[in-house]
Amino acid sequence: MFDIKAINTEFDEQIQHKIDTKTKPLGALGDLESLALKIAQVLGKDKPQINNPKMMVFAADHGIAESGVSIAPSEVTTQMVTNFINGGAAINVFTRQVGFDLEVIDCGILKPIENLEGVIDQRLGSGTGPIHKRAAMTLGAVKQGFKMATTRVEMHHQNGCNLIALGEMGIGNTSSAAAIMSALTGCKVEDCVGRGTGIDAATFKRKKMLVEQALLVHHSELDDPMQVLACVGGFEIVQMTGAMLAAAERNMLIIVDGFIASAAALAAVKINPNVRGYMIFAHQSDEKGHMLMLEFLQAKPLLKLGMKLGEGTGAALALPLIQAAVNFYNEMASFEDAGIEI
C-alpha cells in the first residue's frame, strides 16, 4: 500500500562524529543531538534544511459523542473549525509565532461548513457511526481517507515541503483514540481512557464503559490495523494515519502531536513499521494513556508541558526545537574550525 524505505543509517557514524566534534562537551546538547541525528538521517547529512513546514489539522465528528463522553456537544467541532479559519484558536497563535503554514481539513464534521473559505473538503461522511454499537466506517472509507490524505501530502511535497505536523479537532475523539490504543496494544481499557477535556466522574465512568463495549462489539475484527480503524477509528484519525504513511513514503519528517495523533501514529506503525523512523514526537500530553502509548512506540517526546488541547498545539511548539537542532548541526563550529585544542 505504501512503499516506505527504512531510514538510511549508512552515514550514522559520520553524522554522529560531526555532532560530537562541535565546540561543546560530548553530549552537552542532550536530546537536541539525537534529534539532529534523526533529521540528518531523513533529510541528508550535508546541511539538511526544513523547507515549507506544513501544519495539517484534521477535523471530524464521532458518533459516540451522542452518548455523552465529553464536556461539549458535537456542535463545538464545527464552531472550533470556524475559529481556526478565523484565526482565533491556540493553534493559530502558535503557528503564527513559529512560522508554520496552517491548513484545516474537514474529514467529516456533522454538518459541512458552507461559504467559509479556507476549509479543505475531504469529507468521508457526516460523523462516524457510534463505535459502541456499530463500526465507525467501512473499510472502503478507510482506504478512501488514505487516498485523500496522500493526495494532499503529495501536493505539499511537490511544493517543496519536507516536514508535516498533524493536529486534530473532534468532540469524542479521545474515546476513539483510546479504543484504537487498546485494540492495537492489548492494554486494558482503564489504562487507555482518560478524562479528555475534563469530564466529571460519572461521565468518565460512562466513557470507559462505552469504549469497553466498543471493543467487545468488534472483538472478532480487531486483528488488523485497517479493520481497527474501520471499527473504532475516526475520519480525522484515518486521514492522519494516511498522511503519516504518505509523508514517510516521500522521505518527509513527521511531527506527531498528542494522544489522538499518537493513536494515528500507532496505527501507521502497525501498517508499515518503517514509518516510525520518520516520526518526531512533539510532547507528552496530560491525557492518561499517552505516556503508555509513547512507551509502545519507543518514543521520547521533546516536551512535557501538561498540555491536553490537541489541535496540533504541541507539534507547533516543537518546531523551534527542530529548527535549533538543524541550525546547530549546520552552523556550529567544530573544535578544528574554531582552532580549539582539547
Side-chain angles (χ1 to χ4, degrees):
M1 184 182 301
F2 291 90
D3 182 18
I4 302 172
K5 296 180 176 63
I7 57 169
N8 185 5
T9 59
E10 179 184 355
F11 303 107
D12 280 9
E13 286 189 13
Q14 292 180 42
I15 295 167
Q16 192 62 53
H17 177 75
K18 183 173 181 177
I19 292 169
D20 290 345
T21 55
K22 298 291 186 183
T23 47
K24 60 176 179 57
L26 197 65
L29 287 177
D31 291 343
L32 287 180
E33 298 192 13
S34 54
L35 180 56
L37 173 62
K38 173 181 283 290
I39 292 166
Q41 286 173 329
V42 175
L43 301 184
K45 64 181 176 63
D46 299 319
K47 293 193 74 88
Q49 300 289 340
I50 303 299
N51 298 322
N52 301 330
K54 177 70 70 170
M55 172 66 71
M56 306 173 74
V57 177
F58 299 82
D61 277 306
H62 293 253
I64 195 173
E66 298 172 4
S67 298
V69 293
S70 176
I71 62 171
S74 292
E75 288 75 14
V76 170
T77 304
T78 299
Q79 293 164 9
M80 282 303 300
V81 168
T82 303
N83 193 26
F84 295 158
I85 296 303
N86 291 334
I91 188 57
N92 300 101
V93 174
F94 294 161
T95 51
R96 284 195 297 263
Q97 175 183 325
V98 304
F100 250 130
D101 186 28
L102 171 66
E103 68 175 17
V104 182
I105 301 167
D106 176 4
C107 304
I109 58 179
L110 279 177
K111 294 182 179 180
I113 301 175
E114 297 180 359
N115 303 319
L116 186 61
E117 290 186 11
V119 179
I120 296 158
D121 182 1
Q122 295 191 171
R123 293 174 60 81
L124 294 170
S126 297
T128 60
I131 61 174
H132 58 297
K133 296 178 181 178
R134 62 179 186 273
M137 67 195 81
T138 65
L139 188 58
V142 175
K143 293 177 181 178
Q144 179 64 21
F146 281 11
K147 288 180 181 178
M148 288 176 166
T150 298
T151 298
R152 199 76 200 161
V153 169
E154 171 62 15
M155 184 196 74
H156 296 318
H157 179 64
Q158 289 295 327
N159 289 332
C161 172
N162 64 2
L163 179 148
I164 62 166
L166 301 113
E168 41 60 43
M169 177 64 213
I171 299 300
N173 63 8
T174 58
S175 297
S176 180
I180 291 168
M181 176 183 173
S182 182
L184 293 179
T185 66
C187 290
K188 296 178 181 178
V189 166
E190 63 188 40
D191 293 327
C192 302
V193 176
R195 290 184 179 264
T197 47
I199 53 179
D200 61 23
T203 306
F204 185 41
K205 182 178 180 180
R206 179 165 59 252
K207 182 178 179 180
K208 287 190 287 186
M209 179 187 72
L210 293 178
V211 172
E212 190 81 64
Q213 185 176 326
L215 294 171
L216 287 172
V217 166
H218 305 292
H219 176 72
S220 63
E221 298 179 85
L222 300 180
D223 55 354
D224 174 83
M226 297 283 286
Q227 286 287 0
V228 169
L229 289 172
C231 290
V232 299
F235 292 145
E236 81 281 38
I237 296 174
V238 163
Q239 293 201 34
M240 281 194 291
T241 303
M244 292 177 189
L245 291 162
E249 187 175 41
R250 288 155 180 78
N251 212 59
M252 301 165 72
L253 287 166
I254 304 157
I255 309 181
V256 182
D257 188 43
F259 182 61
I260 296 105
S262 294
L266 185 63
V269 169
K270 291 290 185 179
I271 291 168
N272 190 321
N274 285 343
V275 71
R276 174 65 185 82
Y278 298 83
M279 293 176 175
I280 297 169
F281 289 82
H283 75 124
Q284 180 185 316
S285 84
D286 211 31
E287 182 67 7
K288 182 177 180 180
H290 196 211
M291 181 174 71
L292 188 57
M293 192 186 290
L294 290 171
E295 288 178 6
F296 269 91
L297 288 162
Q298 298 182 325
K300 185 176 182 181
L302 296 177
L303 299 166
K304 184 179 179 182
L305 300 172
M307 294 170 60
K308 52 183 176 182
L309 180 58
E311 301 179 9
T313 47
L317 293 174
L319 182 61
L321 296 177
I322 294 167
Q323 291 169 327
V326 169
N327 290 341
F328 101 74
Y329 181 83
N330 288 337
E331 300 173 17
M332 189 175 176
S334 67
F335 286 109
E336 182 179 357
D337 294 334
I340 298 173
E341 296 182 8
I342 56 170

